[in-house]
Amino acid sequence: MITKMKHRLAVSTLGALVVLSVLTPPGSAAPVATDSARPQIGVDAGGHLSRATPAPAATSRLSEIPDIPWPPAGVVPPKHSAEKLREFGAAMGERLAKSFPQVVPEAQNMQLTPWSGEWTGVIEDGQDYLTTWAVYHDKIGRTATAYQIEAPGHFTSSPRKWCEINSTTICTATKQPDGSLVLHGVSKIETGKEPRHIESALHYRLDGTVVWTSAYDYDPIFDPNQGPNRDKIALTTAQLTELATDPALHL
């Protein structure tokens, strides 16, 4: 039985609420078997991973982050049934079972939590987004990567606004060859002891979709098996970008 727990805030605010959230990966989840300058792994139209040239240099000052209207004009959020959203989740889960270990080869015993909305494992008619966690172990211990898939037109924060409301210590934007944008931000959380950090990559796509991934320098899944704190974020900026720009992730 999956205990209902608040899920969306833990992924979408990417601030102090993450530390306060409690997310337990289900025992029934099926396991699946760098640096910022290295070439990125792209995905071609057939869904195959392929090497691509490095992305152009990113902007570095908040004033340089594009304050573009978002969502794009004319985009109407779709209204999917819960059944359709579960189909999306099943397809994306199959995709991540293959792609995540390729992008994150250090990951062992990776499990996905159920695709969810406001509560873990709960999907409702008309929902405009899906979230999940890829929970895994590496040589340091357990950690997780958060995913949030926003349907076209649902996400309303422009890149600059997102940086402002998440109190980022670092925020950069990189334009992609197709004209889309990848926003990269690092947020610091004051815990009362040493500060902890969250690093996120948000892919603002031309159709109004936003896909974001987040990694941590701690274990964001709070349960009795709590993993260790880390000296640095569990994934690199390049890895987070590769995960967020996978076109197979969409609603």
Side-chain angles (χ1 to χ4, degrees):
M1 178 178 179
I2 299 172
T3 302
K4 287 186 177 181
M5 297 179 179
K6 199 72 169 178
H7 190 270
R8 179 172 166 78
L9 286 176
V11 181
S12 62
T13 56
L14 298 178
L17 287 172
V18 174
V19 179
L20 298 177
S21 68
V22 181
L23 294 173
T24 304
S28 59
V32 299
T34 97
D35 60 38
S36 59
R38 70 185 180 94
Q40 293 185 335
I41 297 176
V43 183
D44 63 24
H48 304 293
L49 290 170
S50 60
R51 288 288 170 181
T53 56
T59 57
S60 58
R61 293 192 297 270
L62 186 60
S63 62
E64 296 177 352
I65 301 298
D67 195 22
I68 56 178
W70 198 265
V75 175
V76 178
K79 292 299 180 183
H80 297 301
S81 67
E83 180 179 1
K84 183 62 176 179
L85 289 167
R86 291 188 189 96
E87 291 178 6
F88 279 120
M92 291 190 294
E94 290 181 2
R95 171 66 179 175
L96 293 180
K98 298 176 182 178
S99 63
F100 191 88
Q102 291 180 292
V103 178
V104 191
E106 61 270 33
Q108 301 294 323
N109 302 317
M110 192 272 279
Q111 297 180 329
L112 291 177
T113 61
W115 290 94
S116 306
E118 291 290 327
W119 300 95
T120 300
V122 177
I123 297 176
E124 300 177 324
D125 288 334
Q127 194 170 294
D128 300 292
Y129 62 93
L130 285 175
T131 63
T132 190
W133 297 82
V135 185
Y136 66 93
H137 288 76
D138 60 14
K139 64 182 180 180
I140 295 175
R142 194 185 73 174
T143 188
T145 298
Y147 282 85
Q148 186 144 316
I149 319 299
E150 304 274 1
H154 176 245
F155 193 73
T156 58
S157 294
S158 70
R160 187 183 299 180
K161 184 65 174 180
W162 187 90
C163 294
E164 292 173 349
I165 64 179
N166 284 281
S167 302
T168 51
T169 59
I170 298 173
C171 219
T172 62
T174 304
K175 190 172 183 179
Q176 301 299 291
D178 67 352
S180 65
L181 186 79
V182 173
L183 184 67
H184 160 245
V186 176
S187 300
K188 182 170 69 173
I189 302 170
E190 298 297 342
T191 64
K193 298 180 181 179
E194 57 181 337
R196 296 286 99 200
H197 302 85
I198 305 167
E199 183 168 339
S200 301
L202 290 79
H203 189 200
Y204 284 75
R205 303 182 181 180
L206 301 182
D207 68 349
T209 294
V210 175
V211 173
W212 55 346
T213 56
S214 300
Y216 309 80
D217 61 6
Y218 59 94
D219 181 359
I221 308 299
F222 282 13
D223 67 9
N225 300 315
Q226 185 67 30
N229 288 338
R230 298 161 178 262
D231 293 333
K232 60 183 181 180
I233 300 290
L235 299 184
T236 66
T237 300
Q239 286 173 313
L240 284 169
T241 300
E242 290 168 10
L243 296 174
T245 54
D246 185 344
L249 305 180
H250 64 85
L251 299 180

